[in-house]
Amino acid sequence: ELLALLSQQGQRSVYIEGLAGSRDSYLLLASFRQEPTPMLLVCPDKEEASFAIDDLNALLGKPLVLSFPDSFRRPLVFSEPDYFQMQQRVEAVQNFNTGEPRLMVSYPEALFEKVVGAKCIAQAAIEIVLGGRTDLDDLVHKLCDSGFVRTEFV
């Protein structure tokens, strides 16, 4: 019934409420397995999102669910960024935008934050291949352009 609703012309989202426990994860995963397409589960808060990610990964048997967290250590304290969560946000956006079937879980506080565009990320990305050759001067120039400061000692 859910898939029939989503397959209607122009129907891009569905709001479901009243599910207890892990039923939302079971429903999402059943829909995803029947119709693999990028899906976003928006949970009421950060804690619920964490539980949903754990449930979905446990049901899948491997960690395939993308987490899209907020960028800060504490809610509504914008002066303390959490760099690991910022990295998770970028990776989630990059992986979700591939067009491959993906599940992503988030919550309203995280969705309200601006995200760096894919074009900007692609321009700022520096790819270094293990065992490959990288021009050191070019790398230093790109890092300096990105705001890094060159020093003699680290």
Side-chain angles (χ1 to χ4, degrees):
E1 190 176 322
L2 176 61
L3 291 174
L5 184 62
L6 284 172
S7 65
Q8 291 177 1
Q9 180 106 11
Q11 186 68 29
R12 302 279 305 156
S13 61
V14 175
Y15 178 77
I16 300 172
E17 66 180 340
L19 298 176
S22 298
R23 289 189 182 135
D24 54 352
S25 296
Y26 280 106
L27 181 64
L28 181 67
L29 190 56
S31 300
F32 182 75
R33 283 187 171 155
Q34 197 167 8
E35 184 68 38
T37 184
M39 293 185 181
L40 171 66
L41 174 62
V42 181
C43 297
D45 57 41
K46 189 175 191 171
E47 185 178 25
E48 291 287 329
S50 179
F51 289 138
I53 291 167
D54 289 343
D55 287 346
L56 289 166
N57 281 330
L59 292 169
L60 286 167
K62 48 189 165 185
L64 296 175
V65 180
L66 302 171
S67 172
F68 190 74
D70 59 14
S71 300
F72 304 100
R73 292 188 194 274
R74 294 183 293 164
L76 302 175
V77 179
F78 303 117
S79 61
E80 296 181 32
D82 186 320
Y83 296 108
F84 176 72
Q85 289 183 178
M86 290 171 80
Q87 180 181 351
Q88 279 185 308
R89 288 173 64 85
V90 171
E91 289 174 1
V93 169
Q94 286 177 330
N95 288 320
F96 199 71
N97 284 334
T98 62
E100 296 177 27
R102 297 286 187 167
L103 291 172
M104 184 160 56
V105 179
S106 192
Y107 46 96
E109 291 84 5
L111 294 173
F112 287 129
E113 286 183 40
K114 288 185 178 183
V115 178
V116 177
K119 187 176 180 180
C120 184
I121 291 173
Q123 289 174 343
I126 300 172
E127 188 172 322
I128 300 174
V129 179
L130 183 64
R133 293 201 167 270
T134 303
D135 182 8
L136 187 59
D137 291 332
D138 187 41
L139 177 62
V140 169
H141 180 71
K142 286 181 180 180
L143 290 171
C144 289
D145 286 348
S146 296
F148 289 87
V149 178
R150 189 171 185 177
T151 61
E152 292 295 320
F153 298 99
V154 179

